[in-house]
Amino acid sequence: GSYSVRQESRNRVTSDVRQESATAPVPGSYRADLIANLRPLAHIATLGAELDLENIGSMGVSGEFFRNSFVRSDRIVKTYRDLTGALSALQRRECWDSEYEDEAGYTAFFEHGFGGDEHKIRAEFSGSHQEEEEDNHYTNYSDVPPGPVTFDNSLIRQIDDQKRVSLDYTNPLSETSKFEAGYAGDFNASDATTRIENFDADQLRFVQDATKSNQFRFREALHAGYATYERSLGLFGFMAGLRAEQAITESHLVTLDTT
């Protein structure tokens, strides 16, 4: 097993400067200056064990975990000027964002040998889970021309789950031939959510923007079975095989209740 921790400090400063042509709807210049600060903290851990069962075979299990989280604060100042260089608009947008990313995976197997070289059967089960979330809270200021302070939020979440089951059999029939067969099943699921909110000054609460918010779910099951026969004939050889596969998928746009 192992464990490690990592702390980073990231400071970002960017400037976006543009000159609009005289044919633009509102000709002039534009400048956006951004300052962002964040300190990601990551944890990484692994743990595994394998057991030799002598004449029966071997078995093992392992797992891994990763987490990265941080709080980001940034501030962007947008300046607009007309063709004469006079200030036409000055806007500020400040953000407080809490983010995290989790990943976990595991594997378990059992392998049995029938005696002889590479004559064996192996069963394995593995899976993984990944989850990410970005929770942004914005405050908007209009200094020129003077305007009210506004607030909006955006929540972005992505969840992915994967599982796999496999069974493989290998039999070297002779020094010149080999037979293999097996099954593999993959089961995947994902859920993606985007939620946009604007603060309603009349209701004194945040109201979801249905035109920009959405949720999408995806499910997939893959079943595959195969068998192959391989043989060498002097300087030449051949392999023959058969594989059958079935895929069952479903997409669900929850926002519109559409599948």
Side-chain angles (χ1 to χ4, degrees), residues 129-163:
H129 174 83
Q130 181 177 2
E131 184 172 337
E132 297 180 64
E133 184 178 280
E134 179 180 334
D135 190 7
N136 297 287
H137 302 268
Y138 296 99
T139 305
N140 309 286
Y141 303 90
S142 179
D143 298 324
V144 179
V149 179
T150 61
F151 307 91
D152 61 277
N153 300 328
S154 69
L155 178 67
I156 303 172
R157 181 184 293 122
Q158 175 78 31
I159 300 175
D160 294 291
D161 285 292
Q162 297 181 341
K163 294 180 178 64

Side-chain angles (χ1 to χ4, degrees), residues 2-6 42-46 64-67:
S2 67
Y3 169 77
S4 63
V5 60
R6 183 180 65 215
H43 301 270
I44 305 171
T46 62
E64 57 186 18
F65 174 77
F66 168 81
R67 179 176 177 86

Side-chain angles (χ1 to χ4, degrees), residues 6 13 18 21 58 72 83 96 125 143 200 220 223:
R6 183 180 65 215
V13 178
R18 308 183 186 189
S21 66
S58 62
R72 175 175 60 90
L83 286 177
W96 183 90
F125 176 70
D143 298 324
D200 190 314
E220 179 181 58
H223 303 277

Side-chain angles (χ1 to χ4, degrees), residues 8 46 49 76 85 97 100 113 116 120 142 150 152 170 197 220 226 246 248 257:
E8 300 180 47
T46 62
I76 184 170
D97 166 37
Y100 72 86
K120 61 184 180 181
S142 179
T150 61
D152 61 277
T170 304
E197 297 178 332
E220 179 181 58
Y226 74 94
Q246 181 187 34
I248 305 171
D257 194 22

